Amino acid sequence: MKISFNKAVSTTLLVCTVAISPLFCARIANAQQVSHGIAAVVNDDVVTTYDLKQRARFMIVTQGIKPDEKTQQRIIRQAMRTLVDEKLQMQEAQKYEQTISEQEIMQGVQNVISRNGINVNEFTQNLAAAGIPLTTLKDQMRAEIAWQRIIGGLYGSRIRISDAQIDETLNRITANSSKPSYRVAEIFIEATPDIGGMEGAMQGGEAMVAQLKEGAPFRVLAQQFSSAASAAKGGDIGWVAEGELREEINAVLPQMEKGSISKPITVPGGVYVIALIDKQISKSETFYKLGQINYKVDDESETPAARTAIKAASAKLKSCDTLKKDVEGMDGIAAQNMGEVKASDLGEEIIELLSKTNVGEVSEPLVLPTGVVGILVCDRKVRGANIPNRNQIENRLMSQQEAIASKRHLRNLRRKATIVTR
């Protein structure tokens, strides 16, 4: 729930007089005395104007740019949202009695700094020169570590990635193995009400592009502003094959040059900004070992019966080695081994069919002018680079599911919370 800040301030004395929450009042009083103002109240915790200024200043300094007034306002809004979320995350950490040691925090800080290719001592000195204490980053890291533990504890054991999900992903990747591969980084601006919905998300995306052109590091902007699961890795989602990402992004990637940044890309729920880190023509090739069963037809009216016969025969097939024996005695059904076939030698329609068929299964019946065909996928192998194995695919899918759970859990906390902002 969100109410106006002015109303909250005017009722603070009344709340304290009635003594609804002494701890809440004590925190407000302390913040007023020490930090000269309250920027937000999140349940029983406060975000001080000092906290807000320091976080916004930290975001500006780490971006390495001199933002105009409009950009400063956007950064302040983002800093406010981040601080509110961190308060909710730390309140949840207290609920589950999570304790983060100083050693863990410092290790996390060092990892973040190192990933950005900066010397830790140099980074600390630059912050100090800008009047920003290291505690600003440490507070952020404490909330991040606590939240990762909570999400892992609450949802890690519930998320199950099935073999079917891995097969589906692997099928899609191998079907596209002969197409170009892209090393991609992303920033996703979620169209939330507090930034003005899709219009605000588009403005945020345009601001990202402008700052990147001015020299702001993509990794830093992704870590601070992106709502995607890849934000913790600076937006880097690794190598992907053509057609593997969402349709709106797939349409843009082939036109991009290596090292370029896309214009804001509108998708349902927000806006993406994409960086093409690298691009290469894939040296991978998918090899299929295939078998085929077919049913000849002399007239189109026979096609429905032929499809039924192919499906019935498919259920009785055991392997490519026993293919002809498996269909013996089946009226109208003929079978043959096709041997090993390269994906590049197959038509697009066949590739699409095989991408939906697991090893050991028969494809959906394919209607041809001469009859109906079912293709048995006996084996599928990819030879070349940039093809993830099953464990890598499982880890990627797990990360995606945990990110969805994290976003949903935080959204629920926001809805239930009393959040007062100026």
Side-chain angles (χ1 to χ4, degrees):
M1 180 179 68
K2 185 174 292 187
I3 60 177
S4 72
F5 180 80
N6 291 335
K7 181 179 179 182
V9 171
S10 65
T11 58
T12 298
L13 289 177
L14 176 60
V15 171
C16 293
T17 301
V18 180
I20 293 177
S21 178
L23 178 60
F24 170 75
C25 297
R27 287 177 176 170
I28 288 182
N30 182 63
Q32 288 173 323
Q33 292 171 5
V34 176
S35 304
H36 309 294
I38 301 171
V41 180
V42 185
N43 294 323
D44 281 354
D45 285 323
V46 297
V47 175
T48 68
T49 53
Y50 175 80
D51 295 332
L52 182 59
K53 289 176 182 177
Q54 290 297 84
R55 182 60 63 88
R57 188 181 299 171
F58 174 80
M59 295 169 77
I60 291 172
V61 168
T62 53
Q63 289 175 34
I65 61 172
K66 295 180 179 179
D68 54 26
E69 184 176 348
K70 185 177 180 180
T71 302
Q72 287 179 7
Q73 292 302 315
R74 181 181 55 80
I75 289 175
I76 289 173
R77 288 196 301 271
Q78 181 63 34
M80 173 67 83
R81 182 178 179 84
T82 301
L83 288 168
V84 168
D85 285 347
E86 287 175 13
K87 289 295 183 184
L88 293 171
Q89 289 168 346
M90 291 309 300
Q91 288 167 9
E92 197 75 346
Q94 292 173 5
K95 174 182 174 181
Y96 289 101
E97 298 181 346
Q98 291 291 324
T99 303
I100 313 301
S101 69
E102 184 69 14
Q103 182 179 356
E104 289 176 291
I105 295 170
M106 286 308 301
Q107 184 61 55
V109 168
Q110 290 176 5
N111 290 342
V112 168
I113 296 172
S114 299
R115 283 201 300 265
N116 286 284
I118 306 172
N119 177 274
V120 175
N121 292 331
E122 180 184 351
F123 182 83
T124 305
Q125 291 171 3
N126 289 341
L127 284 185
I132 305 170
L134 190 60
T135 52
T136 298
L137 179 55
K138 289 171 66 177
D139 289 344
Q140 185 175 344
M141 184 55 58
R142 180 182 291 104
E144 182 177 320
I145 295 172
W147 188 246
Q148 288 174 348
R149 283 188 187 175
I150 291 167
I151 296 302
L154 290 177
Y155 300 101
S157 60
R158 303 183 197 177
I159 298 173
R160 291 288 184 271
I161 305 301
S162 67
D163 286 339
Q165 288 174 289
I166 298 174
D167 287 337
E168 181 183 352
T169 304
L170 189 57
N171 290 350
R172 186 174 65 253
I173 292 173
T174 53
N176 293 322
S177 63
S178 60
K179 296 180 179 180
S181 296
Y182 304 94
R183 175 83 181 277
V184 177
E186 63 182 358
I187 296 174
F188 178 58
I189 309 297
E190 188 176 8
T192 54
D194 59 316
I195 68 167
M198 283 301 298
E199 183 178 353
M202 177 56 73
Q203 291 175 355
E206 292 171 345
M208 293 294 105
V209 173
Q211 290 182 53
L212 289 166
K213 288 181 178 179
E214 291 178 15
F218 193 100
R219 172 180 287 273
V220 173
L221 291 181
Q223 288 171 336
Q224 293 177 353
F225 294 101
S226 180
S227 297
S230 60
K233 298 180 181 179
D236 191 350
I237 60 175
W239 285 96
V240 295
E242 184 173 297
E244 190 177 346
L245 300 177
R246 29 190 328 157
E247 182 180 347
E248 298 88 348
I249 298 174
N250 290 334
V252 173
L253 275 177
Q255 280 73 51
M256 293 179 64
E257 297 292 331
K258 177 181 174 180
S260 64
I261 305 294
S262 73
K263 295 180 180 179
I265 304 170
T266 303
V267 301
V271 172
Y272 277 94
V273 173
I274 299 298
L276 181 55
I277 302 171
D278 201 356
K279 177 180 181 179
Q280 66 180 29
I281 301 300
S282 178
K283 298 180 177 63
S284 301
E285 180 73 271
T286 302
F287 291 81
Y288 292 95
K289 184 180 178 183
L290 303 174
Q292 175 182 301
I293 55 174
N294 59 74
Y295 190 109
K296 291 185 178 181
V297 297
D298 298 321
D299 188 270
E300 285 186 8
S301 62
E302 299 176 6
T303 298
R307 290 176 64 92
T308 301
I310 288 292
K311 287 193 173 184
S314 298
K316 296 183 178 182
L317 297 182
K318 297 177 181 178
S319 70
C320 278
D321 296 333
T322 61
L323 180 59
K324 292 184 179 180
K325 183 178 179 180
D326 293 338
V327 300
E328 282 182 0
M330 296 184 187
D331 291 340
I333 296 291
Q336 64 176 352
N337 284 306
M338 300 170 64
E340 188 174 73
V341 183
K342 291 194 299 184
S344 56
D345 292 335
L346 299 171
E348 287 292 332
E349 186 178 10
I350 300 296
I351 290 294
E352 177 67 19
L353 202 62
L354 295 180
S355 71
K356 301 174 182 177
T357 309
N358 295 328
V359 172
E361 297 179 354
V362 179
S363 71
E364 283 293 312
L366 177 64
V367 179
L368 301 175
T370 57
V372 179
V373 173
I375 301 175
L376 171 62
V377 179
C378 308
D379 196 11
R380 178 195 286 112
K381 292 182 179 178
V382 181
R383 298 165 189 164
N386 299 331
I387 301 297
N389 57 39
R390 293 184 70 86
N391 286 338
Q392 290 170 326
I393 291 174
E394 182 177 11
N395 291 336
R396 182 190 297 183
L397 294 175
M398 178 69 77
S399 296
Q400 290 172 355
Q401 291 300 312
E402 287 185 346
I404 292 171
S406 172
K407 186 179 296 185
R408 182 172 59 246
H409 193 67
L410 188 57
R411 185 183 296 121
N412 289 338
L413 291 179
R414 270 185 164 268
R415 287 172 179 168
K416 295 177 183 178
T418 300
I419 301 173
V420 182
T421 60
R422 177 156 61 178

